[in-house]
Amino acid sequence: MKETRRSFLWKSLAAGATLLVQAKAQGRTVRIGYSISKTGPYATGAGITTLPNYRLWVEEVNAAGGLKLATGPARVAVVEYDDRSTPEEAIRNIERLIVQDRVDFVLPPWGTAMNLAVAPVFARHGYPQLGVTNLSEKTPELVRRWPSYFSFLGLPSQYAEALVLLLRNLAAAGKIGRRVAVVHTDDEFGLELSTAFRRAAQREGLELVYFQSYPQGFSDFASLLNAVKGRNPDAFVAFSYPAETLAFPEAAAVVGFNPAVFFLGVGTAFPVFRQRYGARAEGVMGLGGVVPNQAWRSYLERHKAVTGQEPDRWASQVTYASLQALRGAIEKLGKIDRFQIVRLLRQETFDTILGPLKLEGNVFRGNWLIGQWQDGEFVAVMPERPGAASPRVPKPAWNR
């Protein structure tokens, strides 16, 4: 049948419209913003735990063709600012990302204090706050106030109670006594963990022979550990930040303090801890831990290939899992609707490198809690469940 001029024009217009829609779909981007500590005292933690996982996730999403929306794939574009480790700068940056840059999602900063500082901004604009390094006992209360506030790392009491249970079990097995010394950084992180630990320790019959805080910027760890050594504890527990965590073993070796259990806080799971202490890291315990299965090994290799560095063995994999959950929610919905994304994050179960991830009251409570350096890897020892390694106690001497 001969085609008329009119039908030819209609077909041409239709074809042009189709091409235009495809072009728009192909050019669609989802804008992700974040304000992170690239300078200042939080830069070490942010540079090991948080920022590399943001970059890894974006790289992998775009390499796979982008986020799968109902209108077609959408690549991820990033807007990034340095908060200089100050809450005021972080607040200004988050406002700027939302109001001026008009990003679709904002990823959270590093650290409990920074996450708490910016939480009202996220909530006011209805953006989901996928907090990972926001370890606080106040999280359930904050969730009631801000339903878009999440915590993927759990609660301080989970970690403190797991550590107390471990020490109690070791004492019951005759591997250590019940004398425990505790020191902690004098901020929200240290106060919440130490308070939860003391409450659980008293309940389980552990004897707290030393319990002392130290201010931020404190550096005389040799004198502190000399005082602790004088109390002859079976276990030493420090709820510390990375700089302090890296300093404690050296000071302990100097004063000849080597209790059966030596537990440190944030930073024990960092690769730099193993790099700094080598074989002397063996037996040191801390927060987190991994099960070196196929999922972990694959993540480890991808992380190294994209970022040029190893992840830590605690919050790194949790950060990546939180982004997998975000991607799962976006692709299940098929569009950018932050209210519905928050609803899905609260209700759905997501496939992640940690296994199935389901939030309870906006909190993920399924993490590994206590780890120990064993044969060059920071393996999970608590909670007691399949995959956990047996703790090795007493720890070896510092001069091995």
Side-chain angles (χ1 to χ4, degrees):
M1 186 172 66
K2 188 176 180 179
E3 189 174 49
T4 65
R5 179 180 175 82
R6 186 185 181 111
S7 67
F8 174 79
L9 287 173
W10 274 113
K11 286 181 180 178
S12 297
L13 287 171
T18 301
L19 287 173
L20 182 60
V21 170
Q22 289 175 344
K24 284 184 175 179
Q26 289 169 356
R28 177 80 165 93
T29 59
V30 172
R31 288 162 57 81
I32 301 283
Y34 46 82
S35 173
I36 200 78
S37 300
K38 299 175 74 174
T39 56
Y42 297 155
T44 300
I48 291 175
T49 298
T50 306
L51 189 54
N53 282 291
Y54 289 174
R55 291 173 175 169
L56 172 62
W57 181 76
V58 171
E59 173 81 14
E60 292 190 340
V61 169
N62 285 338
L67 294 168
K68 296 178 177 60
L69 304 183
T71 54
R75 293 179 60 81
V76 173
V78 170
V79 182
E80 175 184 307
Y81 295 121
D82 178 10
D83 62 29
R84 298 187 294 181
S85 299
T86 65
E88 296 81 7
E89 189 74 18
I91 291 170
R92 280 194 293 271
N93 287 344
I94 300 295
E95 282 278 4
R96 180 180 175 186
L97 286 166
I98 294 173
V99 177
Q100 294 184 23
D101 299 319
R102 297 182 179 279
V103 298
D104 296 295
F105 295 97
V106 178
L107 303 182
W110 183 90
T112 301
M114 299 292 271
N115 271 277
L116 292 176
V118 301
V121 185
F122 275 86
R124 184 166 62 253
H125 293 283
Y127 277 61
Q129 184 176 351
L130 282 71
V132 175
T133 55
N134 56 339
L135 197 64
S136 174
E137 210 63 34
K138 298 175 182 174
T139 297
E141 174 188 335
L142 298 177
V143 170
R144 285 192 290 274
R145 188 188 312 170
W146 303 314
S148 60
Y149 184 87
F150 295 89
S151 176
F152 285 79
L153 212 53
L155 302 174
S157 55
Q158 285 185 274
Y159 294 87
E161 290 169 5
L163 180 56
V164 166
L165 182 60
L166 172 64
L167 297 178
R168 186 203 67 179
N169 291 346
L170 290 171
K175 294 185 176 181
I176 65 171
R178 291 180 173 272
R179 297 170 59 83
V180 182
V182 178
V183 300
H184 65 88
T185 181
D186 190 17
D187 76 345
E188 193 78 11
F189 165 79
L191 289 169
E192 289 199 8
L193 274 164
S194 61
T195 299
F197 182 89
R198 174 152 58 182
R199 187 165 52 241
Q202 291 172 341
R203 187 170 62 239
E204 297 296 341
L206 298 179
E207 182 184 359
L208 296 177
V209 297
Y210 193 93
F211 197 95
Q212 184 65 48
S213 67
Y214 57 84
Q216 292 187 31
F218 181 79
S219 60
D220 190 6
F221 295 106
S223 295
L224 176 63
L225 290 182
N226 248 332
V228 173
K229 181 182 175 183
R231 303 297 177 90
N232 193 30
D234 301 291
F236 171 71
V237 174
F239 295 117
S240 50
Y241 278 132
E244 304 137 26
T245 296
L246 289 170
F248 270 120
E250 189 171 327
V254 168
V255 302
F257 176 52
N258 189 46
V261 173
F262 199 86
F263 176 96
L264 302 172
V266 182
T268 315
F270 287 0
V272 67
F273 188 89
R274 181 191 59 199
Q275 293 161 8
R276 178 163 176 171
Y277 288 107
R280 292 187 297 166
E282 288 293 305
V284 176
M285 295 186 184
L287 301 163
V290 300
V291 175
N293 54 22
Q294 181 55 39
W296 162 255
R297 288 193 293 270
S298 174
Y299 164 71
L300 173 64
E301 292 306 316
R302 296 188 335 261
H303 192 287
K304 288 193 294 186
V306 172
T307 70
Q309 65 186 71
E310 288 193 18
D312 75 63
R313 271 63 172 173
W314 181 26
S316 272
Q317 58 180 343
V318 184
T319 301
Y320 186 81
S322 74
L323 298 172
Q324 289 181 299
L326 176 63
R327 180 180 183 178
I330 293 172
E331 294 189 342
K332 183 178 180 66
L333 194 62
K335 60 182 179 180
I336 305 303
D337 181 333
R338 287 181 288 275
F339 179 82
Q340 294 298 333
I341 295 292
V342 169
R343 179 183 63 80
L344 290 176
L345 288 170
R346 291 167 65 95
Q347 296 177 351
E348 298 291 326
T349 299
F350 301 95
D351 292 327
T352 72
I353 56 170
L354 301 176
L357 186 151
K358 177 78 168 67
L359 295 156
E360 302 173 36
N362 289 25
V363 179
F364 180 56
R365 300 168 187 260
N367 288 304
W368 292 105
L369 302 172
I370 307 298
Q372 183 182 38
W373 284 105
Q374 296 183 2
D375 303 323
E377 184 54 276
F378 192 69
V379 297
V381 298
M382 289 294 282
E384 294 176 310
R385 68 186 189 209
S390 298
R392 295 178 182 175
V393 176
K395 72 172 287 301
W398 293 116
N399 60 356
R400 66 195 298 260

